C-alpha cells in the first residue's frame, strides 16, 4: 500500500482505520503519534519517521517506532505488539542507542533504510541497495521489509535479523547454500536490548535441536526434533490448536519456525535476558500475556545436570535427581555424594566387542526420556528401528540407539539415531521417547548367567528381536515366581520366623532373601490386638508394640499410623520393605517381616531388650548412666559408626536422615543397632515442617538452611551423638555443647567434658576418649567438605594414626536454623514429636 494523501485517506482507508481505532483505542496515544497512523504501514523516500511517530501494520497488530526499554532513557527503534508496548519483537539499533529524541528513520537514495541520530550520523542501516526508489512496509506478520517501490522483490527484511523473539513465520536455523544462519540473542537486561549473555541456536548436527548457549556453554536444550515436536517439550501438544511447527530439513536448509493458526490470539517465543525461553500468548480478556511454555522448567532441564551417562528424574527427592544409567556408576562417587554430579557416570562392565557377529551384548529400554544430545550422533532416517538395532549391535562404537522419527513404524517410529560418544543431558519427561542402551550381558535384566541361545547369537537381528521378546518373557516369569512365592509364604508362614543370629563381623556380604510377609491376624495375636499395654514406643509416624510370636520369639511390631500414609503409600511401602530387607548388618536392627494388608502397613523387627541409647546416656537415674561404662560407650560409638558406614557404603548409598540416640537400640550385649534406617518417613505424608524430618540438635546446618541433604548430614548427626555419648548432655538443651567440647579438647582437658556420673576412665582410655572427641568435632564441622566420610571415621576410631585437627565449631550450631527457642519448646519439649521410634521405659 502506498502512502496516501491526507485528502484521500477518509475514503480509501476508512475501514482500515476503524479497525486501527478499535485496536488502538486503549492506547493513550498522543494526538501527534496518532496522526502518524496516517502513514499507515508503508512509507517511502521523502516521508521520514521521527521519534514520536509510528508505523502500524495494516491489521493493526504491530507497531514500529521509537521506544525506551524499562527504566532506560535511551531511544531505540523497534517493533512491538500494538496491544502491549512491552512486547518488543525486534530492535534495529540494539547496541547503538540514541541518547535523545532526535532520531529519525529515513530511506536513502541508495536504497537503504537508515536510522540517523540528531547530528545526521547513521546509527543503523539496512545495508540494502537499489538503483530505483525503495519503500518500507511493516507487514501484518510484524516483518519490516524494504523493497523497490511497487515491486514484490524484497531487498531486506527484519526476520532475517532476529533479536530475542521468534514470531510466527520467522525461522531459525541454517541455509547451507548461502551460509546464512538465524538465531535468537537475548537482551542484556530488561532495560538494555543490546546482545546479552544467551543465544538460542538450532543445532543442525544430528537431529535439529534448539540449544540455549551462555557464551560457549550449553544451558538448555529442547531435545531433538522427533517428527512432531522437540523431544523434551511435549507440552506443545497442549497448544497444537494454536500453532503449527514448521521444520524444514532439506539439503539446502535446516530451519525451524512456527505459524499461528488463523483466529488464534497473538503469541511469540522470547529468549529472556536470564536465558529462559518462553512462549507467551495474549489473553484478550485479562489484557495480559500468559506463559504457555517456559524452559528450562526444572532442575533436570539444566544441560548436562547429571553428566555423561547420568539420568535426571525431576520427580525424585531433591537429593536424588540424578542417577546413573543402568550398568553405570558415578565416575566420582565422592563428588556425586556432594551432589556434584557433573562428572557423570562410568560403565561398570565393558561391552563385548570381540567379534561383531558374536557379541553377547544386548539392550535395555529407557522409556519416556528426552533424548540425549544428538550433536555427535549419526542419524539415518531411511532405515527401520529394527535395522537400527542390528546396526548398533554390529558396530561396537554404538552405545545406544533410538528411532529418529516417532511417526510410523506401527507406533515404534522409524529411522535411526546412533550415539557413539557420551550420552549427555538425558532426563525423564512426560510422553518422552524410547531409547535403547547397549550393555554387556551381565548388566542386562535377564538372568545374568544364562547365555543367550547360540542360534540367535550368530544372527544379531534375531538376537535383538529375541532379546526383547525374551526380556518380556523373563519379566513375566519373574513376576509370576514372585507372586507364587508370596502366596506360598502367606499360606505357610503364620508368623515371622526368628532372625538369623547377627554375625559378629561387620562385613556381612550376602543380603538375605526378601523378608516374608505376615498375616495381620498373627500380628494381632502377637500384640494382644495392638493393646495399649504392649506399646513400647510411639512417634510421629508409627506406634511400636512388643509382640510375642507363637514360637515364643519377642519382636518389635511397628505399626504405621494410617492417617500419615500417603495415597501411594502402599507402593512405596513395598519399595521400602525391599530396600530394608536387603540391608543387613550387625549394627542395624534387622527387619524380620512385614504386613501390607488393606490399610495396614506394619514392620516387624528383632526385639531389643535394652531399648534405646537415650535412656542410658541422658537417663535421669544415674544408675542407667553408669550402666554404660567408658569401654561400652566407646564400643557403642564404634558400632554406630560401622552401621552408618555400611548404609553409606552400599551401592544405594542410603542416607539415614534421622540419626539420634533414640534411634539407636541396644541388644543384650549392649551392641548398638541403628533403627529406622528404612526412612519410613519417605512414604508418609510429606511434612513440610522440617522438624518432623529431622530432630533438633542433630541436623546439619546445611540441611537446616538450604535443605541440602547428603551423606555428610548423617556424619554431622553422628558427631553430635558421639559428643552426647561422651558428655551425657543433649545438644538440643545445651546449645554450647559443641563449642564446650572443642574448648575442652583444645585445652587438652577433655575430662571436663566427660559425663561425671560414669566412673573416671583409666589414662589409656582417656587418651582414646580424647581421640574420639577429636573425631566427633571433625564430624560436626560447619562445612560438609570438612567432615570425614563415615568409612574414614571407622578407620580413625579403630587405629591410632594421626588425623586432621578440627576447627572451632560455630558457637551455636543452630544459628540460622528455623529451630528458634520458641519452636523448640513447642515442638521438642518432650523430645518425642519428631521421634519415630522413641522407646519408653516400661
Ligand atoms: C527526512 O530526513 C532527511 C534527513 O534528515 C531530511 O534531509 C529530509 O528533509 C527529511 N524529510 C522530511 C519530509 O522531513
Ligand atoms: C550493515 O553494515 C554494517 C557495516 O558492515 C554492519 O555493522 C551492520 O551490522 C549491517 N547492518 C545490517 C542490518 O546488516
Ligand atoms: C522418578 O522418581 C519418582 C519419585 O521417586 C518415581 O516415582 C518415578 O517412578 C521416577 N520416574 C521414573 C521414570 O523412573
Ligand atoms: C561432540 O564431540 C566433540 C569433539 O569430540 C566434543 O567436544 C563434544 O563434547 C561432543 N558433544 C557431545 C554432546 O557429546
Ligand atoms: C562403526 O561406526 C563408526 C561411527 O559411526 C563408523 O565410522 C564406522 O565406519 C562403523 N564401522 C562399521 C564396520 O560399520
Amino acid at each position: 500500500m502506498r502512502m496516501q494523501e491526507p485528502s484521500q485517506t477518509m475514503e480509501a482507508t476508512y475501514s482500515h482505520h476503524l479497525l486501527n481505532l478499535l485496536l488502538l483505542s486503549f492506547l493513550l496515544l498522543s494526538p501527534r503519534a496518532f496522526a502518524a497512523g496516517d502513514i499507515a504501514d508503508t512509507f517511502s523516500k521523502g516521508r521520514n519517521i521521527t521519534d514520536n511517530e509510528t508505523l502500524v501494520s495494516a491489521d493493526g497488530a504491530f507497531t514500529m517506532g521509537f521506544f525506551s526499554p524499562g527504566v532506560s532513557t535511551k531511544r531505540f527503534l523497534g517493533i512491538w505488539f500494538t496491544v502491549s508496548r512491552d512486547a518488543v519483537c525486534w530492535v534495529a539499533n540494539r547496541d547503538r542507542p540514541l541518547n535523545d529524541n532526535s532520531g529519525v528513520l529515513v530511506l536513502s537514495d541508495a536504497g537503504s533504510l537508515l536510522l540517523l541520530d540528531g547530528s545526521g550520523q547513521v546509527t543503523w542501516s539496512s545495508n540494502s541497495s537499489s538503483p530505483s526508489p525503495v519503500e518500507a512496509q511493516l507487514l501484518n506478520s510484524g516483518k519490516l521489509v524494504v523493497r523497490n517501490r511497487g515491486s514484490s522483490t524484497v531487498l531486506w527484511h527484519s526476520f532475517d535479523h532476529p533479536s530475542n523473539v521468534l514470531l510466527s513465520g520467522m525461522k531459525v536455523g541454517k541455509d547451507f547454500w548461502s551460509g546464512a544462519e538465524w538465531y535468537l540473542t537475548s537482551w542484556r537486561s530488561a532495560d538494555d536490548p543490546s546482545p546479552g549473555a544467551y543465544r538460542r541456536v538450532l543445532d543442525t548436527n544430528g537431529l535439529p535441536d534448539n540449544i540455549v548457549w551462555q557464551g560457549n556453554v550449553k544451558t538448555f536444550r529442547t531435545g531433538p526434533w522427533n517428527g512432531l515436536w522437540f523431544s523434551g517439550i511435549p507440552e506443545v501438544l497442549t497448544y497444537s490448536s494454536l500453532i503449527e511447527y514448521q521444520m524444514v530439513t532439506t539439503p539446502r536448509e535446516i530451519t525451524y519456525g512456527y505459524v499461528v493458526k488463523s483466529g488464534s490470539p497473538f503469541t511469540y517465543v522470547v529468549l529472556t535476558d536470564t536465558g529462559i525461553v518462553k512462549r507467551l500468548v495474549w489473553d484478550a480478556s485479562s489484557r495480559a500475556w500468559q506463559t504457555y511454555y517456559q524452559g528450562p522448567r526444572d532442575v533436570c532441564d539444566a544441560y548436562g545436570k547429571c553428566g555423561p551417562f547420568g539420568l535426571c528424574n525431576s520427580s525424585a527427592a531433591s537429593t536424588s535427581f540424578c542417577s546413573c544409567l543402568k550398568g553405570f556408576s558415578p565416575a566420582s562417587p565422592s563428588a556425586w555424594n556432594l551432589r556434584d554430579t557433573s562428572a557423570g557416570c562410568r560403565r561398570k562392565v565393558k561391552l563385548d566387542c570381540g567379534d561383531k557377529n558374536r557379541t553377547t551384548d544386548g539392550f535395555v529400554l529407557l522409556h519416556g526420556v528426552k533424548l540425549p544430545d544428538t550433536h555427535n550422533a549419526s542419524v539415518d532416517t531411511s532405515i527401520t528401528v529394527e535395522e537400527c538395532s542390528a546396526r548398533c549391535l554390529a558396530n561396537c562404537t554404538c552405545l545406544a540407539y533410538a528411532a529418529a522419527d516417532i511417526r510410523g513404524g506401527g507406533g515404534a517410529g522409524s529411522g535411526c539415531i546412533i550415539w557413539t560418544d557420551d550420552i549427555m543431558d538425558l532426563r525423564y519427561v512426560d510422553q518422552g521417547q524410547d531409547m535403547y542402551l547397549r550393555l554387556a550381558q551381565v548388566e542386562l535384566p535377564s538372568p545374568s548367567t544364562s547365555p543367550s541361545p547360540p542360534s540367535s547369537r550368530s544372527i544379531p537381528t534375531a538376537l535383538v528381536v529375541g532379546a526383547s521378546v525374551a526380556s518380556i518373557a523373563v519379566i513375566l516369569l519373574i513376576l509370576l515366581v514372585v507372586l507364587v512365592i508370596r502366596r506360598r509364604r502367606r499360606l505357610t508362614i503364620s508368623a515371622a520366623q526368628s532372625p538369623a543370629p547377627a554375625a559378629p563381623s561387620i562385613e556381612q556380604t550376602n543380603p538375605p532373601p526378601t523378608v516374608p510377609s505376615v498375616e495381620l491376624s498373627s500380628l494381632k495375636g502377637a500384640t494382644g490386638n495392638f493393646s495399649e499395654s504392649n506399646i513400647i514406643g510411639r512417634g510421629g509416624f508409627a506406634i511400636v508394640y512388643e509382640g510375642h510370636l507363637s514360637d515364643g520369639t519377642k519382636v518389635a511390631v511397628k505399626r504405621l499410623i494410617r492417617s500419615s500414609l500417603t495415597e501411594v503409600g502402599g507402593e512405596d511401602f513395598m519399595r521400602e520393605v525391599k530396600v530394608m530387607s536387603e540391608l543387613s548388618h550387625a549394627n542395624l536392627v534387622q527387619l524380620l517381616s512385614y504386613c501390607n494388608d488393606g490399610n495396614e502397613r506394619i514392620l516387624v523387627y528383632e526385639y531389643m531388650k535394652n531399648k534405646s541409647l537415650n535412656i542410658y546416656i541422658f537417663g535421669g537415674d544415674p544408675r542407667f548412666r553408669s550402666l554404660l561404662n567408658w569401654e561400652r560407650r566407646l564400643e557403642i560409638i564404634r558400632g554406630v559408626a560401622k552401621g552408618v558406614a555400611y548404609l553409606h557404603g552400599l551401592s544405594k548409598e542410603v542416607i539415614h536422615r534421622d540419626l539420634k540416640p533414640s534411634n539407636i537400640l541396644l541388644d543384650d550385649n549392649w551392641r548398638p543397632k541403628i533403627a529406622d534406617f528404612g526412612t519410613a518417613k519417605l512414604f508418609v505424608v510429606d511434612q513440610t515442617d522440617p522438624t518432623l524430618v529431622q530432630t533438633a540438635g542433630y541436623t546439619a546446618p546445611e540441611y537446616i538452611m538450604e535443605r541440602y541433604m547428603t551423606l555428610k548430614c548423617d556424619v554431622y548427626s553422628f558427631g553430635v551423638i558421639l559428643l552426647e555419648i561422651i558428655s551425657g548432655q543433649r545438644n538440643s538443651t545445651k546449645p554450647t555443647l559443641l563449642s564446650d567440647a572443642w574448648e575442652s579438647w583444645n585445652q587438652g582437658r577433655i575430662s571436663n567434658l566427660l559425663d561425671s556420673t560414669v566412673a573416671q576412665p583409666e589414662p589409656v582410655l582417656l587418651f582414646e576418649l580424647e581421640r574420639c572427641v577429636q573425631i566427633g568435632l571433625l564430624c560436626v564441622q560447619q562445612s560438609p567438605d570438612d567432615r570425614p566420610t563415615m568409612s574414614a571415621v571407622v578407620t580413625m576410631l579403630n587405629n591410632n594414626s594421626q588425623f586432621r585437627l578440627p576447627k572451632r565449631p560455630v558457637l551455636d550450631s543452630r544459628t540460622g536454623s528455623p529451630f528458634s527457642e520458641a519452636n523448640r519448646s513447642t515442638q521438642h519439649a518432650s523430645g518425642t514429636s519428631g521421634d519415630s521410634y522413641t522407646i519408653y521405659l516400661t
Side-chain angles (χ1 to χ4, degrees):
M1 188 190 297
R2 302 269 186 95
M3 188 187 90
Q4 308 280 344
E5 288 299 319
S7 58
Q8 299 178 316
T9 306
M10 286 301 284
E11 264 179 58
T13 61
Y14 175 77
S15 56
H16 164 94
H17 274 250
L18 191 63
L19 184 64
N20 271 4
L21 263 168
L22 286 171
L23 278 161
L24 302 180
S25 53
F26 68 95
L27 277 180
L28 298 172
L29 295 171
S30 68
R32 179 86 193 271
F34 192 66
D38 284 349
I39 22 172
D41 61 349
T42 309
F43 81 111
S44 43
K45 185 152 162 38
R47 184 67 173 92
N48 303 341
I49 295 184
T50 57
D51 188 275
N52 50 15
E53 290 174 310
T54 56
L55 200 64
V56 179
S57 64
D59 67 357
F62 291 93
T63 300
M64 184 176 86
F66 291 86
F67 72 101
S68 294
V71 298
S72 171
T73 54
K74 305 267 206 270
R75 301 299 280 173
F76 296 88
L77 178 75
I79 299 171
W80 57 87
F81 280 94
T82 307
V83 291
S84 166
R85 188 169 267 265
D86 290 338
V88 176
C89 319
W90 182 77
V91 184
N93 55 327
R94 290 188 74 173
D95 43 10
R96 300 275 308 271
L98 298 164
N99 293 320
D100 54 30
N101 293 355
S102 62
V104 58
L105 188 66
V106 304
L107 283 162
S108 75
D109 290 330
S112 277
L113 190 61
L114 302 177
L115 178 61
L116 309 178
D117 66 10
S119 65
Q121 288 288 312
V122 176
T123 307
W124 175 85
S125 163
S126 68
N127 295 338
S128 47
S129 62
S130 171
S132 46
V134 294
E135 61 184 4
Q137 184 181 14
L138 181 59
L139 304 181
N140 289 344
S141 58
K143 183 197 276 191
L144 177 67
V145 298
V146 177
R147 61 172 176 232
N148 288 120
R149 215 182 273 186
S151 146
S152 60
T153 312
V154 172
L155 302 171
W156 175 94
H157 68 87
S158 60
F159 279 13
D160 249 350
H161 304 269
S163 291
N164 63 339
V165 164
L166 190 69
L167 290 174
S168 168
M170 282 177 78
K171 57 188 184 183
V172 292
K174 286 196 186 99
D175 180 329
F176 300 108
W177 289 7
S178 70
E181 179 165 19
W182 305 276
Y183 56 87
L184 305 184
T185 317
S186 73
W187 286 19
R188 189 170 294 261
S189 73
D191 309 322
D192 181 358
S194 65
Y198 297 91
R199 281 168 300 139
R200 188 189 197 221
V201 184
L202 188 73
D203 188 344
T204 54
N205 282 9
L207 283 175
D209 192 346
N210 280 298
I211 314 246
V212 176
W213 294 81
Q214 182 179 20
N216 55 10
V217 177
K218 297 181 185 183
T219 60
F220 168 56
R221 280 185 321 131
T222 54
W225 180 253
N226 67 18
L228 291 175
W229 65 85
F230 290 99
S231 176
I233 320 286
E235 292 95 322
V236 297
L237 298 172
T238 63
Y239 49 84
S240 55
S241 60
L242 177 71
I243 60 151
E244 192 178 313
Y245 272 137
Q246 306 234 303
M247 176 64 69
V248 180
T249 47
T250 64
R252 173 171 184 163
E253 70 172 89
I254 298 181
T255 55
Y256 142 76
Y258 66 90
V259 288
V260 271
K261 296 187 178 170
S262 71
S264 297
F266 298 127
T267 177
Y268 67 102
V269 173
V270 61
L271 172 65
T272 71
D273 55 299
T274 53
I276 294 172
V277 179
K278 288 185 184 182
R279 154 130 356 235
L280 297 165
V281 178
W282 181 252
D283 177 17
S285 58
S286 64
R287 308 209 52 79
W289 293 99
Q290 309 279 339
T291 303
Y292 272 41
Y293 164 75
Q294 173 166 329
R297 80 205 106 177
D298 58 35
V299 62
C300 290
D301 270 346
Y303 184 87
K305 166 76 186 160
C306 302
F309 304 103
L311 174 58
C312 197
N313 178 354
S314 63
S315 341
S318 65
T319 48
S320 53
F321 292 130
C322 288
S323 59
C324 287
L325 288 178
K326 181 152 177 38
F328 290 76
S329 62
S332 168
S334 53
W336 190 277
N337 290 344
L338 293 169
R339 296 214 307 194
D340 175 4
T341 48
S342 56
C345 307
R346 277 201 280 263
R347 187 180 295 281
K348 289 195 275 198
V349 179
K350 267 175 59 179
L351 294 177
D352 174 15
C353 289
D355 176 348
K356 66 172 185 161
N357 290 326
R358 315 199 108 255
T359 178
T360 55
D361 293 347
F363 296 104
V364 286
L365 169 63
L366 279 159
H367 183 65
V369 294
K370 162 173 153 183
L371 292 180
D373 199 327
T374 61
H375 183 80
N376 296 334
S378 54
V379 176
D380 183 345
T381 52
S382 68
I383 63 173
T384 66
V385 178
E386 287 73 35
E387 288 165 333
C388 186
S389 174
R391 185 181 286 183
C392 181
L393 211 57
N395 189 335
C396 218
T397 60
C398 176
L399 306 182
Y401 75 91
D405 190 327
I406 62 169
R407 298 168 296 181
S414 64
C416 184
I417 316 171
I418 281 183
W419 285 268
T420 57
D421 66 356
D422 291 354
I423 303 292
M424 267 308 267
D425 199 36
L426 186 62
R427 67 165 296 169
Y428 285 120
V429 73
D430 282 348
Q431 293 178 283
Q433 285 165 248
D434 288 349
M435 174 175 154
Y436 297 85
L437 180 71
R438 181 176 180 155
L439 286 179
Q441 192 188 37
V442 293
E443 298 287 355
L444 296 175
S446 51
S448 53
T449 44
S450 66
S452 338
S455 58
S456 62
R457 233 204 261 177
S458 50
I459 310 158
T461 333
L463 170 63
V464 174
V465 176
S468 48
V469 172
S471 54
I472 292 169
V474 165
I475 290 167
L476 288 175
L477 194 67
I478 291 173
L479 279 176
L480 198 66
V481 168
V482 167
L483 281 175
V484 168
I485 290 178
R486 274 193 56 180
R487 273 246 154 150
R488 284 232 181 116
R489 285 212 166 116
R490 276 172 175 267
L491 291 173
T492 56
I493 299 169
S494 60
Q497 283 149 357
S498 47
S505 117
I506 60 146
E507 284 87 18
Q508 289 198 346
T509 44
N510 294 331
T514 307
V515 296
S517 82
V518 56
E519 299 283 352
L520 182 59
S521 57
S522 52
L523 290 181
K524 282 185 175 162
T527 57
N529 204 9
F530 301 113
S531 120
E532 284 282 317
S533 60
N534 280 330
I535 293 180
I536 51 173
R538 196 193 291 268
F541 310 106
I543 298 176
V544 185
Y545 300 84
E546 181 177 316
H548 298 263
L549 302 183
S550 44
D551 66 356
T553 322
K554 253 200 211 180
V555 290
V557 178
K558 180 173 182 172
R559 185 189 194 194
L560 302 192
I561 292 170
R562 239 175 274 172
S563 61
S564 63
L565 289 171
T566 56
E567 274 177 38
V568 290
E571 208 174 285
D572 291 348
F573 177 79
M574 290 313 296
R575 194 190 67 214
E576 289 299 314
V577 167
K578 185 173 180 314
V579 171
M580 283 187 275
S581 67
E582 283 164 3
L583 298 172
S584 176
H585 187 273
N587 295 111
L588 297 185
V589 177
Q590 180 69 49
L591 180 70
L592 303 177
S593 58
Y594 68 94
C595 172
N596 185 7
D597 185 337
N599 287 326
E600 291 287 356
R601 311 273 178 270
I602 301 172
L603 298 165
V604 181
Y605 291 100
E606 54 180 331
Y607 183 80
M608 290 295 130
K609 175 163 158 276
N610 284 323
K611 307 202 166 61
S612 55
L613 181 62
N614 53 326
I615 294 166
Y616 301 92
I617 59 175
F618 307 133
D621 185 337
R623 278 174 306 171
F624 280 112
R625 293 184 177 232
S626 54
L627 267 174
L628 287 189
N629 61 26
W630 292 117
E631 286 91 342
R632 272 190 189 150
R633 287 182 189 232
L634 281 170
E635 273 312 306
I636 287 169
I637 289 170
R638 290 194 190 102
V640 174
K642 285 173 190 169
V644 183
Y646 168 82
L647 288 176
H648 289 189
L650 296 169
S651 56
K652 288 196 178 65
E653 290 175 345
V654 177
I655 306 179
H656 187 292
R657 292 163 178 260
D658 198 12
L659 283 174
K660 55 189 173 186
S662 59
N663 273 338
I664 295 167
L665 308 186
L666 299 171
D667 72 2
D668 301 7
N669 298 315
W670 304 102
R671 184 163 45 191
K673 287 181 180 259
I674 299 167
D676 222 18
F677 48 81
T679 54
K681 296 159 220 69
L682 286 185
F683 54 88
V684 297
V685 176
D686 179 27
Q687 303 282 355
T688 42
D689 180 353
T691 58
L692 289 173
V693 178
Q694 284 226 329
T695 310
Y698 302 96
T699 314
E702 70 274 15
Y703 185 74
I704 295 173
M705 289 185 268
E706 298 161 34
R707 292 266 158 289
Y708 185 56
M709 174 59 74
T710 65
L711 299 177
K712 291 293 179 79
C713 293
D714 280 354
V715 175
Y716 183 93
S717 309
F718 171 81
V720 173
I721 295 168
L722 184 156
L723 296 171
E724 289 182 339
I725 292 175
I726 301 244
S727 66
Q729 311 260 11
R730 276 185 206 267
N731 187 35
S732 58
T733 52
K734 189 181 182 228
T736 58
L737 175 64
L738 304 187
S739 51
D740 286 357
W742 189 86
E743 284 301 339
S744 310
W745 169 81
N746 194 39
Q747 294 165 11
R749 280 205 282 252
I750 70 135
S751 43
N752 293 350
L753 186 69
L754 302 183
D755 186 345
S756 57
T757 55
V758 186
Q760 279 293 306
E762 301 287 312
V764 59
L765 263 186
L766 193 63
F767 172 75
E768 264 196 69
L769 288 166
E770 189 174 341
R771 274 180 64 85
C772 202
V773 170
Q774 186 177 340
I775 294 163
L777 288 169
L778 280 176
C779 292
V780 297
Q781 296 286 289
Q782 184 79 7
S783 157
D785 293 340
D786 289 341
R787 295 174 212 147
T789 62
M790 280 317 295
S791 62
V793 169
V794 171
T795 309
M796 289 189 275
L797 283 168
N798 287 293
N799 67 32
N800 283 326
S801 60
Q802 289 292 308
F803 53 88
R804 266 186 304 135
L805 302 182
K807 290 181 248 181
R808 178 196 287 273
V810 173
L811 204 78
D812 180 345
S813 65
R814 293 175 304 276
T815 306
S817 89
F819 305 125
S820 68
E821 289 303 314
N823 260 344
R824 269 197 294 135
S825 53
T826 56
Q827 299 279 351
H828 292 283
S830 65
T832 57
S833 86
D835 287 9
S836 44
Y837 203 78
T838 303
I839 302 289
Y840 292 148
L841 268 177
T842 42

